[in-house]
């Protein structure tokens, strides 16, 4: 964690591609708001050169970095110290130097939880959650979701075996927090009854990137349900459009993006920025992009 200095300390988001990243705008807003001396840029790493890029950045005086696609697993491997949530996720999206060591964290899941509970005013304790997908995004979300003490988390994935492996990996945490964990293939959703419907449905799969609607029965997306997609854009994802047609309350993952960035900023600076004004600014920018595209 870096203490406040007068000169600007360097931070970057590393990815490939990375030109589309909104992280520089988010962290610039955090820096203005908190008075922290932060310079934040994008850094493109070769697909076969992530570790070298990170080492060079730190050797040249960089203090910390965010990590995006496709390097989160490599970031995990090269971190000397991992937070519990990074270890549970098996991936790192936030790195910094402390005591000469590379520290790695995964702030995606806590960003999701804070967006749902704080920004969307939906407490997760005692609720039933349906999590679509069992890849990296879902893995990053599981421990923070379990720590909210919901009644149940159902994991549904295209490949049932992958869902089973994920549930096994988090079985101990589920027992610790008294959370029921179960799931399987996406086809198993058809066998659920209305009594087994969930309060929150989170799409952590790649379906929105592929323009596909996950096969979620309409009765699981009624008016009392929050349908949340980790993806975001100028227009609603196909999953959110489908959920809205079914009557669900909907939200994209823009708030998750801002909240995970705020947690990274806290790791680096020891200061927690206010996210509401930054989220409102980004939402307005997205809406302007949508209007410009029409």
């Amino acid at each position: 964690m870096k203490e406040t200095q007068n000169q600007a300390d360097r931070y970057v988001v590393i990815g490939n591609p990375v030109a589309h990243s909104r992280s520089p705008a988010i962290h610039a807003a955090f820096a203005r708001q908190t008075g922290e001396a932060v310079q934040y840029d994008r850094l493109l790493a070769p697909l076969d050169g992530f570790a070298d890029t990170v080492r060079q950045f730190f050797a040249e005086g960089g203090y910390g970095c965010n990590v995006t696609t496709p390097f989160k697993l490599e970031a995990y491997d090269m971190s000397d110290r991992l937070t519990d949530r990074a270890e549970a996720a098996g991936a790192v999206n936030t790195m910094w130097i402390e005591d000469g060591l590379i520290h790695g964290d995964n702030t995606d899941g806590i960003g999701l939880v804070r967006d749902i509970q704080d920004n969307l005013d939906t407490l997760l304790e005692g609720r039933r959650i349906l999590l679509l997908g069992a890849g990296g995004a879902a893995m990053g979300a599981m421990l923070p979701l379990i720590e909210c003490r919901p009644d149940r988390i159902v994991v549904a994935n295209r490949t049932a075996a992958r869902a089973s492996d994920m549930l096994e990996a988090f079985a101990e945490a589920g027992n610790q927090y008294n959370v029921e964990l179960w799931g399987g293939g996406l086809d198993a959703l058809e066998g659920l009854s209305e009594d087994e419907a969930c309060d929150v449905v989170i799409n952590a799969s790649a379906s929105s990137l592929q323009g596909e609607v996950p096969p979620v029965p309409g009765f699981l997306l009624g008016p009392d349900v929050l349908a949340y997609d980790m993806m975001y854009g100028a227009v609603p994802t196909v999953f959110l459009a489908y959920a809205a047609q079914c009557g669900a309350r909907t939200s994209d993952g823009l708030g998750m993006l801002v909240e995970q960035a705020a947690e990274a900023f806290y790791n680096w600076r020891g200061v927690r920025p206010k996210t509401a004004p930054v989220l409102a600014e980004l939402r307005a920018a997205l809406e302007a992009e949508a209007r410009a595209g029409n």
Side-chain angles (χ1 to χ4, degrees):
M1 188 181 297
K2 177 64 183 171
E3 299 197 3
T4 304
Q5 303 270 334
N6 288 328
Q7 72 179 68
D9 298 325
R10 292 183 58 227
Y11 298 87
V12 294
V13 55
I14 302 177
N16 188 331
V18 75
H20 66 287
S21 175
R22 297 180 187 267
S23 292
I26 294 172
H27 284 279
F30 288 163
R32 289 193 301 270
Q33 177 194 122
T34 61
E36 290 291 302
V38 167
Q39 175 188 335
Y40 190 106
D41 302 298
R42 300 178 183 90
L43 181 57
L44 179 68
L47 291 175
D48 60 352
F50 171 75
D52 289 341
T53 300
V54 172
R55 292 191 187 99
Q56 182 178 351
F57 171 71
F58 285 135
E60 292 174 350
Y63 282 98
C65 57
N66 288 128
V67 181
T68 188
T69 304
F71 299 126
K72 293 182 182 183
L73 299 182
E74 289 186 64
Y76 176 92
D77 290 338
M78 73 177 297
S79 295
D80 301 309
R81 294 286 186 274
L82 294 166
T83 63
D84 289 344
R85 57 196 179 199
E87 194 158 2
V92 159
N93 77 333
T94 303
M95 307 174 81
W96 68 96
I97 292 288
E98 187 175 336
D99 299 327
L101 300 175
I102 297 177
H103 289 244
D105 191 11
N106 189 306
T107 66
D108 287 331
I110 192 65
L112 168 71
V113 164
R114 288 202 177 122
D115 189 34
I116 292 175
Q117 296 201 131
D118 298 343
N119 300 329
L120 301 175
D121 198 25
T122 302
L123 293 181
L124 296 174
E125 183 175 0
R127 299 297 185 93
R128 295 170 295 181
I129 300 171
L130 170 58
L131 184 62
L132 304 174
M139 287 287 290
M142 273 295 281
L143 184 59
L145 286 173
I146 289 171
E147 289 175 339
C148 291
R149 299 182 182 273
D151 178 62
R152 174 194 307 162
I153 299 177
V154 179
V155 178
N157 188 58
R158 190 179 301 275
T159 305
R162 182 77 177 265
S164 297
D165 290 344
M166 181 169 149
L167 292 172
E168 183 177 347
F170 288 95
E172 183 176 345
N175 290 333
Q176 178 184 350
Y177 288 92
N178 196 29
V179 179
E180 180 185 358
L181 304 178
W182 59 278
L186 286 169
D187 54 354
L189 296 178
E190 293 288 350
L192 294 179
S193 67
E194 292 195 21
D195 291 339
E196 296 172 311
C198 294
D199 304 294
V200 179
V201 179
I202 301 169
N203 185 20
S205 73
S207 62
S208 291
L209 286 174
Q210 299 159 354
E212 300 176 356
V213 179
V216 180
F219 72 84
L220 294 178
L221 294 166
D224 296 326
V225 175
L226 171 64
Y228 190 100
D229 200 323
M230 289 189 183
M231 297 292 105
Y232 69 91
V235 297
T237 66
V238 290
F239 169 69
L240 293 183
Y242 168 65
Q245 289 175 355
C246 296
R249 184 164 61 105
T250 64
S251 177
D252 66 12
L254 189 65
M256 175 181 172
L257 175 69
V258 175
E259 294 293 344
Q260 66 80 26
E263 185 71 7
F265 194 89
Y266 178 76
N267 281 339
W268 297 331
R269 310 300 296 184
V271 177
R272 191 174 298 283
K274 296 178 181 178
T275 55
V278 180
L279 177 55
E281 183 180 322
L282 280 185
R283 183 68 68 191
L286 274 182
E287 291 172 355
E289 290 173 15
R291 290 193 298 270
N294 290 338

